[in-house]
Amino acid sequence: MQKKVTKAIFPVAGLGTRFLPATKSVPKEIMTLVDRPLIQYAIDEARAAGITDFIFVTSKGKSALEDYFDCAPELETSLREAGKDKLLEVLQSTYMESGAIAYIRQHRAQGLGHAVWCARRLIGDEPFAVILPDDVIAAEKPCLQQMVEAYAETGGNMVAAMEVAPEKASAYGVLDVKDDMGSVVSTRGMVEKPKMEDAPSNLAVIGRYILGPQVMENLGKIDRGAGGELQLTDAIARELTEGREVYGYRFRGERYDCGSKAGFLQATVAFGLAREELRDEFQDFLDEMLAVRKAAQ
């Protein structure tokens, strides 16, 4: 029986330069899709998967992110006195229990692998999840919960995977598939950002991982890879050379790359239309905008 996955690392040290000037003073992770910050979607997904220990790898200028999860007594009192009970419930859902969340500084940007490695002392000898908040996944059953359930059967290491068009393979780590079992695939390797003609499959790795503690040891041993950074994919690939399994998991859901402006806008539209109280008015607006655009053409 596999150890339960109860710890998750959230690498949130990035500067968010693609969203300047907004990110000059606002951490990208608390920019909102409709009315919820990106980080809230990641936290809710982790909670649904049974995560109880939340580890944030941050950097200078991220204090607003830390404050977001703190209690807001004055606001809570104001809502209670005004009888706004539903808003009060929404507010309280953002709170984190004392001791459930830890913050670690990554002093220099040295890659995703280095960010994960910064949390090594809090992981110890337990399996752990890694969640990249930029990847927002709309799913009936949250993506990480799907993966935790599959991991209970497979053990090893597991990465979320989705099929991409061949011309987009160079933007991802791509799985070299050994055995395709449907939702789960066993792998013989991973290729980081291959050229289209060199991609071993069309299964790309996206920002959800369940990893064994040995990956932390690997991160402490491997050399810097692409871009002179410590690459998480290199540490995972080392698992295969040492005889441990790495699986890809085809999750059920729609992934939005909120690390890009286009992806963020796409997610905003999708999540807005998914909200019953917004859907009709928003859809009417979109239809009107499309009609105006067609008329102008």
Side-chain angles (χ1 to χ4, degrees):
M1 188 174 185
Q2 308 302 326
K3 279 188 177 181
K4 289 186 67 175
V5 182
T6 60
K7 297 181 178 181
I9 299 172
F10 300 80
V12 291
L15 298 176
T17 52
R18 281 184 283 184
F19 286 87
L20 283 169
T23 48
K24 177 184 177 183
S25 60
V26 178
K28 179 182 60 178
E29 296 80 17
I30 58 174
M31 292 176 62
T32 57
L33 290 180
V34 188
D35 55 6
R36 293 168 63 199
L38 293 177
I39 195 62
Q40 187 68 55
Y41 289 94
I43 287 290
D44 290 344
E45 182 178 333
R47 283 172 167 164
I51 299 299
T52 57
D53 296 341
F54 304 82
I55 304 166
F56 285 74
V57 181
T58 68
S59 60
K60 186 178 180 180
K62 297 281 185 171
S63 58
L65 177 62
E66 298 180 19
D67 291 342
Y68 173 77
F69 293 109
D70 210 344
C71 294
E74 292 182 2
L75 180 55
E76 191 171 331
T77 298
S78 177
L79 292 174
R80 186 176 290 109
E81 290 176 349
K84 298 180 178 180
D85 296 335
K86 288 187 177 180
L87 283 178
L88 181 60
E89 289 179 11
V90 170
L91 175 66
Q92 291 173 336
S93 71
T94 68
Y95 296 166
M96 300 290 285
E97 293 182 13
S98 296
I101 190 164
Y103 300 96
I104 295 173
R105 282 286 182 97
Q106 183 186 25
H107 298 297
R108 291 180 297 276
Q110 299 182 54
L112 175 59
H114 182 263
V116 170
W117 182 78
C118 287
R120 63 196 181 282
R121 290 187 176 88
L122 295 181
I123 295 301
D125 63 352
E126 298 181 48
F128 61 97
V130 177
I131 299 179
L132 306 189
D134 279 357
D135 283 332
V136 177
I137 300 173
E140 185 174 341
K141 177 182 287 189
C143 177
L144 189 63
Q145 183 180 352
Q146 297 176 41
M147 293 176 66
V148 164
E149 292 173 0
Y151 170 80
E153 300 295 327
T154 65
N157 302 273
M158 183 172 288
V159 299
M162 68 177 190
E163 296 180 356
V164 298
E167 63 272 17
K168 294 185 177 181
S170 61
Y172 298 91
V174 178
L175 297 179
D176 185 356
V177 176
K178 179 172 65 175
D179 188 13
D180 192 331
M181 299 168 280
S183 294
V184 176
V185 301
S186 63
T187 70
R188 61 171 65 89
M190 285 187 289
V191 181
E192 185 67 24
K193 298 181 179 180
K195 295 180 181 179
M196 181 174 68
E197 60 272 19
D198 296 331
S201 76
N202 68 340
L203 278 179
V205 178
I206 63 102
R208 302 292 185 275
Y209 308 79
I210 297 176
L211 305 172
Q214 299 88 356
V215 171
M216 285 293 188
E217 296 179 16
N218 297 346
L219 286 168
K221 297 175 182 177
I222 61 174
D223 296 326
R224 298 185 184 279
E229 297 181 333
L230 200 59
Q231 297 292 340
L232 182 59
T233 50
D234 291 344
I236 297 172
R238 183 162 178 158
E239 289 290 275
L240 291 164
T241 65
E242 295 184 356
R244 290 183 286 270
E245 294 288 349
V246 176
Y247 298 96
Y249 181 79
R250 288 188 178 97
F251 61 91
R252 301 178 299 280
E254 186 70 26
R255 173 256 191 176
Y256 298 93
D257 176 13
C258 291
S260 71
K261 293 176 184 177
F264 192 92
L265 290 171
Q266 291 163 11
T268 299
V269 172
F271 280 81
L273 291 174
R275 293 278 287 271
E276 186 175 352
E277 74 276 20
L278 301 175
R279 184 181 303 126
D280 292 343
E281 183 179 353
F282 193 26
Q283 185 66 67
D284 288 345
F285 169 76
L286 293 174
D287 291 343
E288 183 179 337
M289 289 291 290
L290 287 172
V292 170
R293 185 174 180 180
K294 286 182 179 179
Q297 291 174 342

PDB file of all heavy atoms in Angstrom, residues 1-7 49-51 123-129 147-157 210-214:
ATOM      1  N   MET A   1       0.842  -1.206   0.000  1.00  0.00           N
ATOM      2  CA  MET A   1       0.000   0.000   0.000  1.00  0.00           C
ATOM      3  C   MET A   1       0.877   1.258   0.000  1.00  0.00           C
ATOM      4  O   MET A   1       1.848   1.341   0.744  1.00  0.00           O
ATOM      5  CB  MET A   1      -0.921  -0.004   1.221  1.00  0.00           C
ATOM      6  CG  MET A   1      -1.960   1.087   1.212  1.00  0.00           C
ATOM      7  SD  MET A   1      -3.109   0.904   2.593  1.00  0.00           S
ATOM      8  CE  MET A   1      -4.261   2.208   2.211  1.00  0.00           C
ATOM      9  N   GLN A   2       0.524   2.226  -0.851  1.00  0.00           N
ATOM     10  CA  GLN A   2       1.324   3.430  -0.974  1.00  0.00           C
ATOM     11  C   GLN A   2       1.068   4.389   0.189  1.00  0.00           C
ATOM     12  O   GLN A   2      -0.020   4.436   0.741  1.00  0.00           O
ATOM     13  CB  GLN A   2       0.990   4.147  -2.289  1.00  0.00           C
ATOM     14  CG  GLN A   2       1.060   3.277  -3.518  1.00  0.00           C
ATOM     15  CD  GLN A   2       2.419   2.651  -3.703  1.00  0.00           C
ATOM     16  OE1 GLN A   2       3.442   3.249  -3.367  1.00  0.00           O
ATOM     17  NE2 GLN A   2       2.464   1.447  -4.228  1.00  0.00           N
ATOM     18  N   LYS A   3       2.107   5.128   0.557  1.00  0.00           N
ATOM     19  CA  LYS A   3       1.915   6.191   1.536  1.00  0.00           C
ATOM     20  C   LYS A   3       0.970   7.240   0.963  1.00  0.00           C
ATOM     21  O   LYS A   3       1.003   7.557  -0.215  1.00  0.00           O
ATOM     22  CB  LYS A   3       3.260   6.860   1.870  1.00  0.00           C
ATOM     23  CG  LYS A   3       4.107   6.113   2.883  1.00  0.00           C
ATOM     24  CD  LYS A   3       5.309   6.979   3.271  1.00  0.00           C
ATOM     25  CE  LYS A   3       6.148   6.306   4.341  1.00  0.00           C
ATOM     26  NZ  LYS A   3       7.310   7.170   4.740  1.00  0.00           N
ATOM     27  N   LYS A   4       0.111   7.791   1.807  1.00  0.00           N
ATOM     28  CA  LYS A   4      -0.796   8.839   1.351  1.00  0.00           C
ATOM     29  C   LYS A   4      -0.008  10.103   1.028  1.00  0.00           C
ATOM     30  O   LYS A   4       0.990  10.413   1.669  1.00  0.00           O
ATOM     31  CB  LYS A   4      -1.845   9.147   2.428  1.00  0.00           C
ATOM     32  CG  LYS A   4      -2.884   8.055   2.615  1.00  0.00           C
ATOM     33  CD  LYS A   4      -3.959   8.503   3.593  1.00  0.00           C
ATOM     34  CE  LYS A   4      -4.775   9.647   3.016  1.00  0.00           C
ATOM     35  NZ  LYS A   4      -5.909  10.036   3.886  1.00  0.00           N
ATOM     36  N   VAL A   5      -0.489  10.808   0.029  1.00  0.00           N
ATOM     37  CA  VAL A   5       0.122  12.075  -0.352  1.00  0.00           C
ATOM     38  C   VAL A   5      -0.597  13.179   0.415  1.00  0.00           C
ATOM     39  O   VAL A   5      -1.768  13.472   0.156  1.00  0.00           O
ATOM     40  CB  VAL A   5       0.008  12.321  -1.870  1.00  0.00           C
ATOM     41  CG1 VAL A   5       0.688  13.631  -2.247  1.00  0.00           C
ATOM     42  CG2 VAL A   5       0.605  11.157  -2.644  1.00  0.00           C
ATOM     43  N   THR A   6       0.094  13.782   1.359  1.00  0.00           N
ATOM     44  CA  THR A   6      -0.528  14.820   2.186  1.00  0.00           C
ATOM     45  C   THR A   6       0.190  16.166   2.084  1.00  0.00           C
ATOM     46  O   THR A   6      -0.285  17.159   2.629  1.00  0.00           O
ATOM     47  CB  THR A   6      -0.558  14.396   3.669  1.00  0.00           C
ATOM     48  OG1 THR A   6       0.790  14.186   4.128  1.00  0.00           O
ATOM     49  CG2 THR A   6      -1.361  13.114   3.851  1.00  0.00           C
ATOM     50  N   LYS A   7       1.342  16.198   1.396  1.00  0.00           N
ATOM     51  CA  LYS A   7       2.107  17.438   1.272  1.00  0.00           C
ATOM     52  C   LYS A   7       2.144  17.887  -0.187  1.00  0.00           C
ATOM     53  O   LYS A   7       2.268  17.064  -1.090  1.00  0.00           O
ATOM     54  CB  LYS A   7       3.538  17.233   1.777  1.00  0.00           C
ATOM     55  CG  LYS A   7       3.617  16.892   3.263  1.00  0.00           C
ATOM     56  CD  LYS A   7       5.060  16.716   3.725  1.00  0.00           C
ATOM     57  CE  LYS A   7       5.109  16.423   5.224  1.00  0.00           C
ATOM     58  NZ  LYS A   7       6.505  16.278   5.722  1.00  0.00           N
ATOM     59  N   ALA A  49      -7.881  16.731  -2.957  1.00  0.00           N
ATOM     60  CA  ALA A  49      -7.047  15.537  -3.118  1.00  0.00           C
ATOM     61  C   ALA A  49      -6.522  15.005  -1.784  1.00  0.00           C
ATOM     62  O   ALA A  49      -5.778  14.027  -1.765  1.00  0.00           O
ATOM     63  CB  ALA A  49      -5.872  15.850  -4.037  1.00  0.00           C
ATOM     64  N   GLY A  50      -6.880  15.661  -0.687  1.00  0.00           N
ATOM     65  CA  GLY A  50      -6.446  15.181   0.625  1.00  0.00           C
ATOM     66  C   GLY A  50      -5.171  15.821   1.136  1.00  0.00           C
ATOM     67  O   GLY A  50      -4.596  15.357   2.127  1.00  0.00           O
ATOM     68  N   ILE A  51      -4.715  16.887   0.497  1.00  0.00           N
ATOM     69  CA  ILE A  51      -3.504  17.581   0.958  1.00  0.00           C
ATOM     70  C   ILE A  51      -3.814  18.336   2.255  1.00  0.00           C
ATOM     71  O   ILE A  51      -4.826  19.037   2.354  1.00  0.00           O
ATOM     72  CB  ILE A  51      -2.990  18.567  -0.106  1.00  0.00           C
ATOM     73  CG1 ILE A  51      -2.627  17.812  -1.401  1.00  0.00           C
ATOM     74  CG2 ILE A  51      -1.795  19.351   0.415  1.00  0.00           C
ATOM     75  CD1 ILE A  51      -1.544  16.779  -1.246  1.00  0.00           C
ATOM     76  N   ILE A 123       9.812  17.985   3.311  1.00  0.00           N
ATOM     77  CA  ILE A 123       9.263  16.781   2.677  1.00  0.00           C
ATOM     78  C   ILE A 123       9.739  15.519   3.380  1.00  0.00           C
ATOM     79  O   ILE A 123       8.974  14.582   3.602  1.00  0.00           O
ATOM     80  CB  ILE A 123       9.647  16.737   1.181  1.00  0.00           C
ATOM     81  CG1 ILE A 123       8.988  17.903   0.430  1.00  0.00           C
ATOM     82  CG2 ILE A 123       9.256  15.405   0.556  1.00  0.00           C
ATOM     83  CD1 ILE A 123       7.477  17.932   0.508  1.00  0.00           C
ATOM     84  N   GLY A 124      11.017  15.481   3.757  1.00  0.00           N
ATOM     85  CA  GLY A 124      11.548  14.291   4.430  1.00  0.00           C
ATOM     86  C   GLY A 124      11.490  13.079   3.526  1.00  0.00           C
ATOM     87  O   GLY A 124      11.898  13.120   2.358  1.00  0.00           O
ATOM     88  N   ASP A 125      10.954  11.976   4.052  1.00  0.00           N
ATOM     89  CA  ASP A 125      10.917  10.724   3.293  1.00  0.00           C
ATOM     90  C   ASP A 125       9.511  10.390   2.807  1.00  0.00           C
ATOM     91  O   ASP A 125       9.154   9.230   2.650  1.00  0.00           O
ATOM     92  CB  ASP A 125      11.466   9.570   4.147  1.00  0.00           C
ATOM     93  CG  ASP A 125      10.621   9.318   5.395  1.00  0.00           C
ATOM     94  OD1 ASP A 125       9.705  10.133   5.683  1.00  0.00           O
ATOM     95  OD2 ASP A 125      10.880   8.310   6.090  1.00  0.00           O
ATOM     96  N   GLU A 126       8.703  11.398   2.542  1.00  0.00           N
ATOM     97  CA  GLU A 126       7.325  11.186   2.119  1.00  0.00           C
ATOM     98  C   GLU A 126       7.129  11.544   0.653  1.00  0.00           C
ATOM     99  O   GLU A 126       7.833  12.405   0.113  1.00  0.00           O
ATOM    100  CB  GLU A 126       6.373  12.033   2.969  1.00  0.00           C
ATOM    101  CG  GLU A 126       6.383  11.712   4.446  1.00  0.00           C
ATOM    102  CD  GLU A 126       5.398  12.564   5.217  1.00  0.00           C
ATOM    103  OE1 GLU A 126       4.238  12.667   4.755  1.00  0.00           O
ATOM    104  OE2 GLU A 126       5.778  13.132   6.248  1.00  0.00           O
ATOM    105  N   PRO A 127       6.145  10.908  -0.007  1.00  0.00           N
ATOM    106  CA  PRO A 127       5.785  11.360  -1.353  1.00  0.00           C
ATOM    107  C   PRO A 127       5.148  12.737  -1.256  1.00  0.00           C
ATOM    108  O   PRO A 127       4.619  13.121  -0.204  1.00  0.00           O
ATOM    109  CB  PRO A 127       4.776  10.302  -1.824  1.00  0.00           C
ATOM    110  CG  PRO A 127       4.169   9.778  -0.553  1.00  0.00           C
ATOM    111  CD  PRO A 127       5.281   9.805   0.463  1.00  0.00           C
ATOM    112  N   PHE A 128       5.183  13.480  -2.340  1.00  0.00           N
ATOM    113  CA  PHE A 128       4.639  14.828  -2.304  1.00  0.00           C
ATOM    114  C   PHE A 128       4.104  15.204  -3.676  1.00  0.00           C
ATOM    115  O   PHE A 128       4.477  14.622  -4.699  1.00  0.00           O
ATOM    116  CB  PHE A 128       5.712  15.835  -1.866  1.00  0.00           C
ATOM    117  CG  PHE A 128       6.913  15.908  -2.773  1.00  0.00           C
ATOM    118  CD1 PHE A 128       7.018  16.877  -3.755  1.00  0.00           C
ATOM    119  CD2 PHE A 128       7.955  14.979  -2.647  1.00  0.00           C
ATOM    120  CE1 PHE A 128       8.123  16.936  -4.595  1.00  0.00           C
ATOM    121  CE2 PHE A 128       9.063  15.034  -3.485  1.00  0.00           C
ATOM    122  CZ  PHE A 128       9.153  16.014  -4.464  1.00  0.00           C
ATOM    123  N   ALA A 129       3.212  16.185  -3.675  1.00  0.00           N
ATOM    124  CA  ALA A 129       2.678  16.719  -4.926  1.00  0.00           C
ATOM    125  C   ALA A 129       3.341  18.047  -5.227  1.00  0.00           C
ATOM    126  O   ALA A 129       3.822  18.738  -4.331  1.00  0.00           O
ATOM    127  CB  ALA A 129       1.166  16.891  -4.825  1.00  0.00           C
ATOM    128  N   MET A 147      -5.329  12.023  -9.904  1.00  0.00           N
ATOM    129  CA  MET A 147      -3.981  11.473  -9.880  1.00  0.00           C
ATOM    130  C   MET A 147      -3.694  10.715  -8.582  1.00  0.00           C
ATOM    131  O   MET A 147      -3.072   9.642  -8.605  1.00  0.00           O
ATOM    132  CB  MET A 147      -2.961  12.587 -10.072  1.00  0.00           C
ATOM    133  CG  MET A 147      -2.992  13.222 -11.446  1.00  0.00           C
ATOM    134  SD  MET A 147      -1.843  14.630 -11.591  1.00  0.00           S
ATOM    135  CE  MET A 147      -0.251  13.782 -11.427  1.00  0.00           C
ATOM    136  N   VAL A 148      -4.143  11.260  -7.461  1.00  0.00           N
ATOM    137  CA  VAL A 148      -3.928  10.589  -6.170  1.00  0.00           C
ATOM    138  C   VAL A 148      -4.597   9.223  -6.169  1.00  0.00           C
ATOM    139  O   VAL A 148      -4.032   8.234  -5.674  1.00  0.00           O
ATOM    140  CB  VAL A 148      -4.448  11.474  -5.019  1.00  0.00           C
ATOM    141  CG1 VAL A 148      -4.599  10.664  -3.738  1.00  0.00           C
ATOM    142  CG2 VAL A 148      -3.502  12.649  -4.780  1.00  0.00           C
ATOM    143  N   GLU A 149      -5.784   9.144  -6.735  1.00  0.00           N
ATOM    144  CA  GLU A 149      -6.484   7.857  -6.805  1.00  0.00           C
ATOM    145  C   GLU A 149      -5.737   6.867  -7.690  1.00  0.00           C
ATOM    146  O   GLU A 149      -5.634   5.675  -7.361  1.00  0.00           O
ATOM    147  CB  GLU A 149      -7.911   8.072  -7.303  1.00  0.00           C
ATOM    148  CG  GLU A 149      -8.787   8.828  -6.297  1.00  0.00           C
ATOM    149  CD  GLU A 149     -10.156   9.195  -6.844  1.00  0.00           C
ATOM    150  OE1 GLU A 149     -10.436   8.859  -8.036  1.00  0.00           O
ATOM    151  OE2 GLU A 149     -10.952   9.802  -6.103  1.00  0.00           O
ATOM    152  N   ALA A 150      -5.192   7.344  -8.813  1.00  0.00           N
ATOM    153  CA  ALA A 150      -4.418   6.462  -9.695  1.00  0.00           C
ATOM    154  C   ALA A 150      -3.102   6.066  -9.040  1.00  0.00           C
ATOM    155  O   ALA A 150      -2.664   4.907  -9.144  1.00  0.00           O
ATOM    156  CB  ALA A 150      -4.158   7.161 -11.033  1.00  0.00           C
ATOM    157  N   TYR A 151      -2.470   7.012  -8.352  1.00  0.00           N
ATOM    158  CA  TYR A 151      -1.194   6.752  -7.675  1.00  0.00           C
ATOM    159  C   TYR A 151      -1.335   5.672  -6.604  1.00  0.00           C
ATOM    160  O   TYR A 151      -0.400   4.894  -6.374  1.00  0.00           O
ATOM    161  CB  TYR A 151      -0.682   8.054  -7.056  1.00  0.00           C
ATOM    162  CG  TYR A 151       0.492   7.885  -6.120  1.00  0.00           C
ATOM    163  CD1 TYR A 151       1.789   7.743  -6.612  1.00  0.00           C
ATOM    164  CD2 TYR A 151       0.309   7.856  -4.737  1.00  0.00           C
ATOM    165  CE1 TYR A 151       2.868   7.587  -5.753  1.00  0.00           C
ATOM    166  CE2 TYR A 151       1.381   7.698  -3.874  1.00  0.00           C
ATOM    167  CZ  TYR A 151       2.650   7.565  -4.378  1.00  0.00           C
ATOM    168  OH  TYR A 151       3.710   7.403  -3.515  1.00  0.00           O
ATOM    169  N   ALA A 152      -2.496   5.618  -5.961  1.00  0.00           N
ATOM    170  CA  ALA A 152      -2.725   4.589  -4.937  1.00  0.00           C
ATOM    171  C   ALA A 152      -2.614   3.192  -5.533  1.00  0.00           C
ATOM    172  O   ALA A 152      -2.278   2.231  -4.828  1.00  0.00           O
ATOM    173  CB  ALA A 152      -4.104   4.786  -4.298  1.00  0.00           C
ATOM    174  N   GLU A 153      -2.836   3.078  -6.845  1.00  0.00           N
ATOM    175  CA  GLU A 153      -2.739   1.784  -7.525  1.00  0.00           C
ATOM    176  C   GLU A 153      -1.350   1.538  -8.101  1.00  0.00           C
ATOM    177  O   GLU A 153      -0.872   0.397  -8.128  1.00  0.00           O
ATOM    178  CB  GLU A 153      -3.775   1.726  -8.657  1.00  0.00           C
ATOM    179  CG  GLU A 153      -5.216   1.885  -8.204  1.00  0.00           C
ATOM    180  CD  GLU A 153      -5.679   0.732  -7.330  1.00  0.00           C
ATOM    181  OE1 GLU A 153      -5.222  -0.411  -7.558  1.00  0.00           O
ATOM    182  OE2 GLU A 153      -6.490   0.968  -6.414  1.00  0.00           O
ATOM    183  N   THR A 154      -0.672   2.606  -8.552  1.00  0.00           N
ATOM    184  CA  THR A 154       0.584   2.418  -9.283  1.00  0.00           C
ATOM    185  C   THR A 154       1.833   2.630  -8.439  1.00  0.00           C
ATOM    186  O   THR A 154       2.855   1.989  -8.667  1.00  0.00           O
ATOM    187  CB  THR A 154       0.663   3.391 -10.474  1.00  0.00           C
ATOM    188  OG1 THR A 154       0.714   4.745  -9.974  1.00  0.00           O
ATOM    189  CG2 THR A 154      -0.526   3.231 -11.400  1.00  0.00           C
ATOM    190  N   GLY A 155       1.774   3.580  -7.489  1.00  0.00           N
ATOM    191  CA  GLY A 155       2.988   3.985  -6.792  1.00  0.00           C
ATOM    192  C   GLY A 155       3.930   4.679  -7.767  1.00  0.00           C
ATOM    193  O   GLY A 155       3.502   5.241  -8.776  1.00  0.00           O
ATOM    194  N   GLY A 156       5.220   4.673  -7.463  1.00  0.00           N
ATOM    195  CA  GLY A 156       6.205   5.299  -8.343  1.00  0.00           C
ATOM    196  C   GLY A 156       6.099   6.805  -8.338  1.00  0.00           C
ATOM    197  O   GLY A 156       5.879   7.442  -7.306  1.00  0.00           O
ATOM    198  N   ASN A 157       6.258   7.392  -9.512  1.00  0.00           N
ATOM    199  CA  ASN A 157       6.116   8.834  -9.720  1.00  0.00           C
ATOM    200  C   ASN A 157       5.067   9.040 -10.800  1.00  0.00           C
ATOM    201  O   ASN A 157       4.903   8.196 -11.688  1.00  0.00           O
ATOM    202  CB  ASN A 157       7.434   9.453 -10.174  1.00  0.00           C
ATOM    203  CG  ASN A 157       8.568   9.234  -9.194  1.00  0.00           C
ATOM    204  OD1 ASN A 157       8.758  10.003  -8.258  1.00  0.00           O
ATOM    205  ND2 ASN A 157       9.344   8.156  -9.401  1.00  0.00           N
ATOM    206  N   ILE A 210       3.095  13.984  -8.829  1.00  0.00           N
ATOM    207  CA  ILE A 210       3.193  13.249  -7.559  1.00  0.00           C
ATOM    208  C   ILE A 210       4.542  12.538  -7.610  1.00  0.00           C
ATOM    209  O   ILE A 210       4.784  11.711  -8.502  1.00  0.00           O
ATOM    210  CB  ILE A 210       2.051  12.245  -7.379  1.00  0.00           C
ATOM    211  CG1 ILE A 210       0.700  12.974  -7.307  1.00  0.00           C
ATOM    212  CG2 ILE A 210       2.260  11.423  -6.094  1.00  0.00           C
ATOM    213  CD1 ILE A 210      -0.497  12.045  -7.218  1.00  0.00           C
ATOM    214  N   LEU A 211       5.404  12.867  -6.664  1.00  0.00           N
ATOM    215  CA  LEU A 211       6.792  12.412  -6.737  1.00  0.00           C
ATOM    216  C   LEU A 211       7.228  11.741  -5.450  1.00  0.00           C
ATOM    217  O   LEU A 211       6.785  12.107  -4.361  1.00  0.00           O
ATOM    218  CB  LEU A 211       7.709  13.601  -7.028  1.00  0.00           C
ATOM    219  CG  LEU A 211       7.368  14.425  -8.268  1.00  0.00           C
ATOM    220  CD1 LEU A 211       8.219  15.670  -8.347  1.00  0.00           C
ATOM    221  CD2 LEU A 211       7.518  13.574  -9.531  1.00  0.00           C
ATOM    222  N   GLY A 212       8.121  10.766  -5.601  1.00  0.00           N
ATOM    223  CA  GLY A 212       8.704  10.114  -4.440  1.00  0.00           C
ATOM    224  C   GLY A 212       9.816  10.959  -3.851  1.00  0.00           C
ATOM    225  O   GLY A 212      10.392  11.824  -4.529  1.00  0.00           O
ATOM    226  N   PRO A 213      10.162  10.725  -2.588  1.00  0.00           N
ATOM    227  CA  PRO A 213      11.204  11.530  -1.929  1.00  0.00           C
ATOM    228  C   PRO A 213      12.570  11.408  -2.594  1.00  0.00           C
ATOM    229  O   PRO A 213      13.418  12.290  -2.438  1.00  0.00           O
ATOM    230  CB  PRO A 213      11.222  10.982  -0.503  1.00  0.00           C
ATOM    231  CG  PRO A 213      10.639   9.602  -0.603  1.00  0.00           C
ATOM    232  CD  PRO A 213       9.620   9.681  -1.692  1.00  0.00           C
ATOM    233  N   GLN A 214      12.789  10.335  -3.369  1.00  0.00           N
ATOM    234  CA  GLN A 214      14.073  10.184  -4.045  1.00  0.00           C
ATOM    235  C   GLN A 214      14.314  11.293  -5.071  1.00  0.00           C
ATOM    236  O   GLN A 214      15.458  11.614  -5.412  1.00  0.00           O
ATOM    237  CB  GLN A 214      14.138   8.821  -4.755  1.00  0.00           C
ATOM    238  CG  GLN A 214      14.022   7.625  -3.845  1.00  0.00           C
ATOM    239  CD  GLN A 214      12.557   7.225  -3.625  1.00  0.00           C
ATOM    240  OE1 GLN A 214      11.630   7.889  -4.104  1.00  0.00           O
ATOM    241  NE2 GLN A 214      12.352   6.135  -2.903  1.00  0.00           N
TER     242      GLN A 214
END
